[in-house]
Amino acid sequence: MLDRLKRLFTGAKPPVPPAPPGRPPLATLDDLDALIDRCGLSAARDLILAHTTPCFHLIAGGPAADAPLGTTRLGGAPDLPVGSVWPAGKNGYCGFLGQLDLADVAARTGAADLPNRGLLSLFVDSIDSAAEPVPVRAILTPSGTALARLAAPPGRDDYGACANPLNPVQISAFVPGINVPPFDLRLYGQIEALAPEADIDAFEDALWPTPPGTVGQLLGQGFDHDGTDLRLAIHARQIGRPGLERYDFIADWAEWEGLKQIEQRLQNGTTYRPWTDANDDDVRYVLDHRPALAAGAADLRLLILIRSNKAMNLWINDADPIFLFIPSARLKRGDFSELHGAVTQG
């Protein structure tokens, strides 16, 4: 009664409990099956399912500044073994992205792809552009280790990845979802060949929506909004051919010769040609090694994606996400010593 009177005379509103997380349009394989039928893609069902993986949408909760040591959260300061120092890279102190209590994640998701114990802490050294690798680092602290919350290092200019530590935010839910590539010219060419009358645009549009409050994704596939396969971009750098991913859509040499004929007359009188003979070697490599390149890209699994978002005060390039990939064999054995980061645009 007293609380009600106080609200009556002060205008204060009662606290609103957080709404349960929404359900994504594609939460289960049954949802995907229904979408396939609605869009007239039944003839391509097996092909689509072969490119489908489960994932979990990360839903932001409230601030986590006072969260107990070792709990799952994004941003803030890391909880590391007593006596640890804040990790640093060649560009200064690393930016702390967040930590996952793997026992908590296992209990809330049932995901068998991750270890079910330990505290996984994720850091990024520097963030530049899509053309540059993003050095990332993971620390897996065994369960039962005495932890301490590190104090932020002094001097905002000493941060390599961000000017300030990110706001600490809870992960209120891991919402199951389904990932299908929204952009893959060769894949959708195959789909169209199987179902030429289908509404492929409606199908692709339905792949994007996520539940309200989504700030990232655990597992699944990592998709760039412009269609680039970031896994292939990472693999291309690993084999010493950075930028090779730009030519993955080309079906054959005849198509490439046609692309080289495209030109545009600019206002200053010069002629712009986006594709030239200078790229011949990379295109030949793609066409000659396509199965090996596809296998190299497929070997990288998305570990986590974190979107630019207000809750964390995270802003990357043009409000883009950061992707952390891990080789599948390392993920299988719970070895996080090799991670590959990637961003878009910039």
Side-chain angles (χ1 to χ4, degrees):
M1 177 65 74
L2 181 59
D3 288 341
R4 184 181 177 189
L5 289 173
K6 285 181 179 179
R7 292 196 297 270
L8 180 62
F9 288 102
T10 63
K13 296 181 179 179
V16 178
R23 184 181 186 276
L26 291 182
T28 67
L29 288 175
D30 287 342
D31 296 331
L32 179 58
D33 266 334
L35 176 64
I36 289 171
D37 290 338
R38 287 199 305 274
C39 296
L41 285 163
S42 299
R45 188 185 312 276
D46 289 344
L47 178 61
I48 293 169
L49 292 178
H51 288 80
T52 298
T53 55
C55 68
F56 298 91
H57 302 290
L58 308 181
I59 310 300
D66 298 323
L69 289 173
T71 54
T72 298
R73 57 183 167 80
L74 299 175
D79 299 334
L80 292 177
V82 172
S84 298
V85 296
W86 194 292
K90 64 179 182 179
N91 297 290
Y93 291 112
C94 293
F96 175 59
L97 295 175
Q99 61 189 33
L100 300 173
D101 173 1
L102 295 176
D104 167 58
V105 173
R108 290 205 270 171
T109 66
D113 291 338
L114 292 170
N116 60 7
R117 62 183 62 190
L119 180 66
L120 182 63
S121 305
L122 301 170
F123 298 84
V124 57
D125 181 4
S126 60
I127 297 174
D128 187 0
S129 69
E132 298 296 327
V134 177
V136 293
R137 178 180 177 186
I139 298 174
L140 182 60
T141 302
S143 300
T145 303
L147 301 172
R149 185 156 300 162
L150 274 57
R156 65 175 58 181
D157 292 338
D158 291 333
Y159 285 90
C162 51
N164 291 294
L166 301 170
N167 296 335
V169 173
Q170 300 174 25
I171 299 178
S172 66
F174 295 85
V175 177
I178 295 293
N179 268 176
V180 183
F183 293 115
D184 185 327
L185 291 178
R186 287 188 296 110
L187 170 62
Y188 281 95
Q190 295 169 349
I191 291 173
E192 187 173 8
L194 292 171
E197 303 301 321
D199 191 345
I200 294 180
D201 288 342
F203 179 78
E204 289 182 285
D205 288 345
L207 302 179
W208 283 109
T210 57
T214 297
V215 292
Q217 180 181 306
L218 182 70
L219 303 174
Q221 303 176 46
F223 304 125
D224 182 359
H225 61 278
D226 70 0
T228 301
D229 188 337
L230 294 171
R231 302 168 305 162
L232 182 55
I234 293 168
H235 180 63
R237 285 195 290 264
Q238 289 178 312
I239 62 175
R241 288 184 170 270
L244 203 67
E245 70 280 357
R246 293 194 296 266
Y247 313 104
D248 186 50
F249 72 94
I250 297 170
D252 51 42
W253 191 258
E255 181 181 358
W256 172 239
E257 290 292 350
L259 288 171
K260 287 192 290 184
Q261 305 308 310
I262 297 173
E263 62 181 34
Q264 180 181 4
R265 191 76 171 176
L266 303 181
Q267 290 183 347
N268 62 7
T270 62
T271 299
Y272 171 65
R273 295 183 177 87
W275 313 105
T276 70
D277 292 344
N279 309 122
D280 280 358
D281 185 55
D282 277 338
V283 174
R284 285 196 182 96
Y285 191 92
V286 168
L287 296 178
D288 291 344
H289 299 86
R290 178 155 276 153
L293 291 172
D299 184 59
L300 292 170
R301 297 280 308 280
L302 179 70
L303 176 62
I304 193 169
L305 175 161
I306 302 176
R307 296 180 176 181
S308 292
N309 67 87
K310 291 183 178 179
M312 295 174 64
N313 194 30
L314 175 63
W315 187 276
I316 301 173
N317 298 337
D318 295 328
D320 294 326
I322 180 170
F323 303 76
L324 272 60
F325 296 94
I326 183 171
S328 56
R330 291 188 182 274
L331 179 61
K332 186 175 182 179
R333 62 177 183 261
D335 175 5
F336 298 96
S337 61
E338 180 188 341
L339 295 182
H340 301 274
V343 296
T344 58
Q345 296 188 68

